[in-house]
Amino acid sequence: MGALLLMLTFNSYALETSIQVHKADQSGANGVSVGLGDNFFNHPEFNWAVSYNHVKDINITWNNDDINFNLDTVDLMLSYRYYPKSYNTFVKSLIVEFQLGAGIALTENKFVWPELENEEKYFSEQGDINSVLGLIVHKKLTKQMSIQIGMKHYPDYSEFGDISSVFIGFNYVFGRQQGY
């Protein structure tokens, strides 16, 4: 019997890794993201990214109770990066990234009210898909590493409504780079 070998190769020159620390728009809510990304078609302007996000203490008020939940998501993002052209060294070291994508909820968030005959309310369910927008400014420190400052916004996260955060993070690029 012959064996059939199927090989798929991706023309990946560099793999980007990132870690970000978030401060959400609610008091006490904060989180962290870790991600991977790369560019499309060897064009550094067009990118994709996948990240795991954990935000804790997102508050919602229901039946006169304030309830805090943790949100765990996987974000799938597409982005466009603008590389400013300038004679100024500082301006040339900046990259502005515009992101659009989907956040997939990994956790179920429900509350049970014992005093209301164990009434259950689901605020998000595992597998919920929510849109997400992002804006990041990268400041290159070296050819492989940059610091990031940005904002992430879920316009309507399940029953939680809109959730926004600002963040600071680092990006490190492994491998051969195209225009980064």
Side-chain angles (χ1 to χ4, degrees), residues 55-123:
V55 180
K56 64 180 184 174
D57 295 331
I58 295 294
N59 184 273
I60 195 163
T61 301
W62 187 259
N63 286 346
N64 297 321
D65 285 329
D66 285 331
I67 310 160
N68 289 335
F69 289 103
N70 294 337
L71 303 179
D72 293 299
T73 61
V74 169
D75 289 347
L76 307 172
M77 306 290 277
L78 298 176
S79 67
Y80 174 79
R81 290 183 179 174
Y82 171 70
Y83 295 82
K85 306 289 186 221
S86 175
Y87 292 111
N88 182 295
T89 306
F90 178 79
V91 173
K92 282 184 4 181
S93 71
L94 299 177
I95 301 167
V96 180
E97 182 173 355
F98 305 93
Q99 297 181 319
L100 174 66
I104 303 167
L106 298 176
T107 53
E108 175 181 278
N109 289 298
K110 79 174 181 177
F111 188 76
V112 178
W113 282 271
E115 53 276 347
L116 295 176
E117 298 177 11
N118 292 326
E119 177 184 335
E120 293 180 350
K121 171 66 176 167
Y122 287 86
F123 297 102

Side-chain angles (χ1 to χ4, degrees), residues 3-4 17 25 28-29 33-34 36 52 58 66 87 92 94 104 107 109 126 128 130 133 140 153 174:
L4 176 62
T17 59
D25 57 354
S33 295
V34 292
L36 294 173
Y52 166 75
I58 295 294
D66 285 331
Y87 292 111
K92 282 184 4 181
L94 299 177
I104 303 167
T107 53
N109 289 298
Q126 188 175 14
D128 283 355
N130 301 287
L133 305 168
K140 291 189 278 186
H153 178 68
F174 292 95

Side-chain angles (χ1 to χ4, degrees), residues 16 112 145 172 180:
E16 296 183 19
V112 178
M145 187 167 61
Y172 189 83
Y180 185 77

